[in-house]
Amino acid sequence: MGVIIQDIRVICTAPEGINLVVIKVETNQPGLYGLGCGTFAYRHKMVQALVEDYLKPLLVGQNAENIEQLWQLMHQNAYWRNGPIENNAISGVDMALWDIKGKLANMPCYQLFGGKCREGIPVYRHVDGRDLSEICDNIQRFQEMGITHLRCQCGGYGGGGYGKAPATAPMGAPDGVYLDSRAYIRDTVKLFEGIRDKIGYDIALVHDVHERIAPVEAVRLAKELESFDLFFLEDPVPLEQSEWLRILRQQTSIPIAQGELFNNPAEWRGLIANRLIDFIRVHISQIGGITPARKLQIFAEQFGVRTAWHGPGDMSPIAHAANIHIDLAAQNFGVQEWSGIEPPNFVIQELKGPKGALLDVFHGLPEYKDGYVYANDQPGLGIELDEAEAAKYPCEATVTQWTQTRLRDGSLQTP
Ligand code: MG
């Protein structure tokens, strides 16, 4: 008879201005359900419709214990595969099935993945500011909290923030995030020189190019940053330009982390097998959840590539927990991005509740203490959702602005 899926529900909530999509898989066993993250913050209604209209009819009546089989069923059902909306919807169900599996075993998920390789997870936090002294102050604040890895940026990614077209743009140019790659490269090199000068070499530093410059400029930036001993350079080129990583690799030994936009194995397989990256950085819900992420992690281990899963504010605490559970059991774990309980420095919609409302909606978050994040030891992923609280913060579909990144002439550049 087994554990039969009886219902699949989608709960959309935006307690801190970011649209979060939670999938709840309910079973025929009294009180046994799982929660997963299918957050695609900028297309949340699409994920909701896909789960409610297609995955629920496909899965109700199936045995929730057969995670691999159900993952393949979802993955192959629409014939066309690996789209971001589809993958996030699949992820929501997949994580919920692992949550159920852990509850059935009465074990936290990291035990199902082989048990702990380490007790706590070292994380990196994000630091930016207007100038070197503000950035160094922010670095020191994190150091006092025990943080050992920091991602440092001059202003926004690529140096810009959303606003009106600057005077240097052509007449009639649209609003956007205007980039000046030459100024950005100069400022970034100066920033790392200044940080090493003022703070020293004890702290591990990361920088995120966020695909916002031309590939050949990324090669130059990487070479110029090499002497500042970066832990890694993040997303130097767009995924469509990943063959440039071979050229970059030939010219510098700077460690490369790539992949928060990856959708499918064809995008990472060659980069890992040819040792063109050092850290794989996928967004776990974006590739379809825990099931494909575990396969990827084990594949990467064979080639000496470490993990640094994407961990931004625009994903739910359930996804953060999934990252941490995989990290705990991964021999080839590198570092974990940790936005923790803080929303990113932009919001999609006006905050409906107080800052910190995320903690009213989600309970059991992995906890940060003195440089490390710890999972709780509850069965499954260990996160609970207060549905009544979640309902207080409805999601809104709005036009996404921060992705409208533009070159000086107003034409678009990948965000
Ligand atoms: Mg990034």
Side-chain angles (χ1 to χ4, degrees):
M1 164 80 174
V3 178
I4 302 303
I5 296 174
Q6 284 202 318
D7 197 7
I8 299 181
R9 294 169 47 226
V10 182
I11 298 124
C12 295
T13 182
E16 298 200 357
I18 296 287
N19 295 330
L20 304 175
V21 182
V22 176
I23 314 299
K24 186 170 188 176
V25 175
E26 297 177 346
T27 74
N28 62 340
Q29 313 281 312
L32 180 60
Y33 62 86
L35 296 171
C37 181
T39 297
F40 187 167
Y42 317 107
R43 296 291 186 269
H44 76 279
K45 285 183 161 182
M46 300 295 102
V47 176
Q48 178 169 15
L50 206 157
V51 173
E52 290 173 348
D53 297 344
Y54 298 100
L55 297 186
K56 178 181 162 181
L58 180 68
L59 297 179
V60 165
Q62 299 272 359
N63 188 336
E65 293 170 291
N66 299 336
I67 299 176
E68 178 67 29
Q69 186 192 138
L70 295 184
W71 193 91
Q72 298 295 343
L73 183 66
M74 291 187 282
H75 178 61
Q76 296 176 27
N77 187 250
Y79 183 60
W80 282 281
R81 304 184 289 271
N82 290 312
I85 295 166
E86 191 88 29
N87 279 357
N88 272 288
I90 292 171
S91 163
V93 175
D94 177 76
M95 287 186 194
L97 295 177
W98 279 103
D99 195 28
I100 289 170
K101 184 73 87 183
K103 289 171 179 173
L104 282 169
N106 198 27
M107 289 179 186
C109 281
Y110 66 78
Q111 292 289 9
L112 307 180
F113 306 154
K116 287 180 182 172
C117 287
R118 55 194 64 75
E119 293 296 324
I121 298 304
V123 293
Y124 75 82
R125 297 296 307 257
H126 180 97
V127 169
D128 57 25
R130 281 161 304 188
D131 54 31
L132 177 64
S133 104
E134 188 177 86
I135 292 168
C136 285
D137 287 349
N138 290 334
I139 290 174
Q140 276 163 340
R141 206 163 304 135
F142 275 122
Q143 280 187 300
E144 282 158 21
M145 291 167 59
I147 288 286
T148 52
H149 297 66
L150 282 165
R151 179 171 66 199
C152 302
Q153 310 284 141
C154 264
Y157 295 119
Y162 188 86
K164 293 271 171 227
T168 49
M171 284 185 295
D175 300 348
V177 180
Y178 273 79
L179 306 168
D180 179 342
S181 59
R182 293 174 62 240
Y184 157 71
I185 290 171
R186 273 197 314 273
D187 291 347
T188 301
V189 173
K190 246 189 264 161
L191 171 68
F192 280 86
E193 199 175 18
I195 293 171
R196 287 308 190 197
D197 222 34
K198 280 183 98 162
I199 309 264
Y201 278 78
D202 281 348
I203 190 110
L205 296 178
V206 167
H207 179 72
D208 192 352
V209 179
H210 221 280
E211 308 186 346
R212 288 189 176 185
I213 54 179
V216 71
E217 293 176 312
V219 175
R220 182 157 68 83
L221 175 61
K223 287 168 70 171
E224 293 195 26
L225 289 177
E226 195 176 64
S227 59
F228 304 119
D229 185 22
L230 262 61
F231 189 75
F232 60 62
L233 188 66
E234 190 171 317
D235 287 324
V237 297
L239 72 85
E240 296 87 348
Q241 298 295 343
S242 61
E243 284 167 12
W244 276 86
L245 293 173
R246 190 182 296 278
I247 296 166
L248 197 158
R249 204 59 151 175
Q250 286 161 356
Q251 300 198 38
T252 164
S253 64
I254 199 164
I256 301 296
Q258 184 86 28
E260 67 188 52
L261 276 98
F262 287 170
N263 298 280
N264 78 69
E267 289 163 346
W268 62 68
R269 197 161 40 221
L271 298 183
I272 291 172
N274 293 306
R275 284 95 169 169
L276 296 179
I277 58 173
D278 301 281
F279 296 87
I280 182 73
R281 251 189 76 62
V282 305
H283 187 96
I284 286 180
S285 70
Q286 165 70 12
I287 64 164
I290 290 172
T291 295
R294 283 269 298 148
K295 293 177 186 179
L296 167 56
Q297 174 249 308
I298 292 163
F299 172 66
E301 185 191 337
Q302 309 307 306
F303 295 92
V305 173
R306 289 179 279 172
T307 64
W309 308 129
H310 195 219
D314 44 358
M315 60 190 234
S316 80
I318 300 164
H320 285 294
N323 282 345
I324 297 297
H325 280 263
I326 297 174
D327 293 340
L328 283 168
Q331 171 58 25
N332 58 327
F333 164 77
V335 72
Q336 178 61 56
E337 178 180 10
W338 181 248
S339 58
I341 58 169
E342 290 174 26
N345 51 11
F346 58 90
V347 293
I348 295 173
Q349 62 188 61
E350 210 178 310
L351 290 183
K352 297 269 190 316
K355 193 164 157 48
L358 192 69
L359 294 177
D360 299 332
V361 175
F362 295 93
H363 304 153
L365 270 68
E367 276 183 37
Y368 173 81
K369 196 170 190 320
D370 299 332
Y372 296 93
V373 168
Y374 299 87
N376 68 45
D377 283 325
Q378 295 302 307
L381 292 170
I383 308 288
E384 285 304 329
L385 174 75
D386 184 328
E387 292 191 44
E389 280 295 317
K392 291 182 187 171
Y393 310 109
C395 293
E396 285 172 21
T398 55
V399 173
T400 306
Q401 291 184 321
W402 71 268
T403 49
Q404 298 179 38
T405 42
R406 300 183 183 281
L407 302 176
R408 276 166 69 97
D409 67 358
S411 60
L412 288 158
Q413 161 76 28
T414 48

